[in-house]
Amino acid sequence: MMRLPLNHVPVGRLFVWLPALAILVIALAAASCSQLAPASACNLDAPSASAAGPACAEQWIDANVAINQLQSFGTHNSYKEKIAPAEMALINERLPKVGPTLDYEHRSLAEQLDKGARQIELDPSDDPDGGLYSTPLARTILSERGIALEPYDLSVMAKPGLKVIHVADIDYRSHCLLFVDCLRQVKAWSDAHPRHTPILMMINPKSSGIPWAGAAKVIPWSKAAFDRMDVEIRSVFGEDQLLTPDDVRGAHATLRDAVTSGGWPKLGQARGKVIFTMDLSPEANAPYAEGHPSLKGRVAFMTTYPNAPEAAYFTMNEPEAQQAEIQKLVREGFLVRTRADADTVEARSGATARRDAALSSGAQFISTDYLWPDPRFGTGYTATLPDGATTRCNPVNPHPGCNAPAE
């Protein structure tokens, strides 16, 4: 059949097609639009998110709500894989009280983030020359007993750099043995989801191992190790994807002055960003601040004393016993991370008092080992925000009118 070029199609036939073409164009345009209404259609000065207009709640929250006025869940020891059965039996043999506390695992970092985790914990161990953790003692002991070992590729442990393992020699299986590989996994997910609410990357450096003969001599963290950590972080994340102490401090004299006077950015300025924090005691964190007043030039925030010039973030692991203290810090403007469960206790019993206390504490980030239930325990215990939200308005330090999920 001979086909006429478009400029030879009879005019009358075009008039027949025009309504259908118009409908098709409108449908394609609607499909390509995001769920957010155009900013010009939203009343960002409305008294509440729900009053800002149709599909405008997120934009209202972006414009009006600071990140310390929100709350999200995350995971504890987010990198951790399951301990092999023979190795778990060895741990239970030698450390019967410790074994049950290590008997949990996490899905991949990407799966956790897909599920709604907005706090990830990494436990780096210093290994500047490489090879310190290449031969876990548990594998050596079992091999000497003639017990077959489950295959596990440890070849990357020979490389210099920070390693991410829970307990040297016995709980070393990780979704990312190299610190930079963990960071790359988070960055890849973040790049693919640029409107995510901020991800808190909590760093818990390890400075001790197990007291068994032949165990690895874990290197205590030093200022030089902290310097290397910052270098590794910046090798993966660009400045535009980091929210640093310098960003928050701005023109204030100290970081503490900034966060207690509204210095945290609004959510719209922080979407797609990651925030690094140091989970150590104030004394152990001190070398990180040395030579960096108010953490000037540093990547991470850190736990310190509430009146210290570097104060901006606190790890408070006991939401029941520390409820009043957490709420006070949150109201003053600080970021706090707490735990909904610990040591597999809640998952085994099904108890929810700790999880409920964490939610009501106002801590902006709550970690769990159970975004999904562990079917072995039969309790169905999980820990997430109510109503399936990823990030919600903070129950203790809310912005007036914040009455819709932020993500």
Side-chain angles (χ1 to χ4, degrees), residues 31 58 83 91 139 163 209 237 241 255 263 273 287 306 315 324 328 356 361 385:
E58 273 195 23
I83 299 173
I91 295 168
R139 296 179 69 84
K163 308 303 190 301
F237 289 102
Q241 211 163 5
L255 185 56
K273 293 185 181 288
T315 297
K328 179 176 183 292
D356 296 344
S361 73
L385 286 179

Side-chain angles (χ1 to χ4, degrees), residues 36 68 166 231 246 253 330 336 403:
L36 299 178
N68 66 312
H166 186 215
V231 168
D246 287 345
V330 169
V336 178
N403 59 4

Side-chain angles (χ1 to χ4, degrees), residues 236-298:
V236 175
F237 289 102
E239 292 298 326
D240 62 335
Q241 211 163 5
L242 295 170
L243 182 64
T244 67
D246 287 345
D247 296 326
V248 174
R249 187 179 59 257
H252 289 85
T254 68
L255 185 56
R256 187 186 192 282
D257 289 345
V259 302
T260 57
S261 58
W264 293 109
K266 297 293 190 290
L267 177 58
Q269 300 169 295
R271 284 193 182 273
K273 293 185 181 288
V274 294
I275 306 168
F276 282 85
T277 62
M278 298 288 295
D279 176 29
L280 291 173
S281 70
E283 294 80 10
N285 273 330
Y288 189 71
E290 184 182 335
H292 297 270
S294 282
L295 299 177
K296 182 178 180 180
R298 283 301 198 187

Side-chain angles (χ1 to χ4, degrees), residues 81 139 150-155 172-177:
E81 292 186 348
R139 296 179 69 84
E150 284 194 11
Y152 192 71
D153 185 4
L154 289 158
S155 59
Y172 56 85
R173 293 169 186 260
S174 173
H175 288 298
C176 39
L177 290 167

Side-chain angles (χ1 to χ4, degrees), residues 219-241:
I219 302 172
W221 274 65
S222 62
K223 185 176 185 299
F226 288 131
D227 291 345
R228 291 194 296 274
M229 181 193 76
D230 275 9
V231 168
E232 291 198 12
I233 292 171
R234 285 198 163 104
S235 75
V236 175
F237 289 102
E239 292 298 326
D240 62 335
Q241 211 163 5

Side-chain angles (χ1 to χ4, degrees), residues 43-53 60 64-65 399-403:
N43 179 9
L44 302 184
D45 295 321
S48 69
S50 58
W60 187 95
N64 292 284
V65 179
H399 185 285
C402 184
N403 59 4

Side-chain angles (χ1 to χ4, degrees), residues 290-373:
E290 184 182 335
H292 297 270
S294 282
L295 299 177
K296 182 178 180 180
R298 283 301 198 187
V299 171
F301 299 85
M302 70 180 208
T303 289
T304 184
Y305 297 104
N307 292 325
E310 298 82 16
Y313 161 83
F314 295 90
T315 297
M316 309 284 286
N317 285 328
E318 303 298 333
E320 293 177 279
Q322 296 177 307
Q323 178 90 182
E325 190 176 357
I326 293 172
Q327 291 182 346
K328 179 176 183 292
L329 290 169
V330 169
R331 291 191 180 103
E332 289 175 348
F334 298 103
L335 289 185
V336 178
R337 174 269 194 183
T338 194
R339 293 184 66 178
D341 41 72
D343 300 332
T344 75
V345 171
E346 287 75 18
R348 294 174 189 273
S349 68
T352 61
R354 180 177 182 141
R355 181 191 69 192
D356 296 344
L359 285 163
S360 63
S361 73
Q364 291 89 350
F365 296 95
I366 303 169
S367 73
T368 179
D369 289 320
Y370 300 98
L371 288 179
W372 294 270

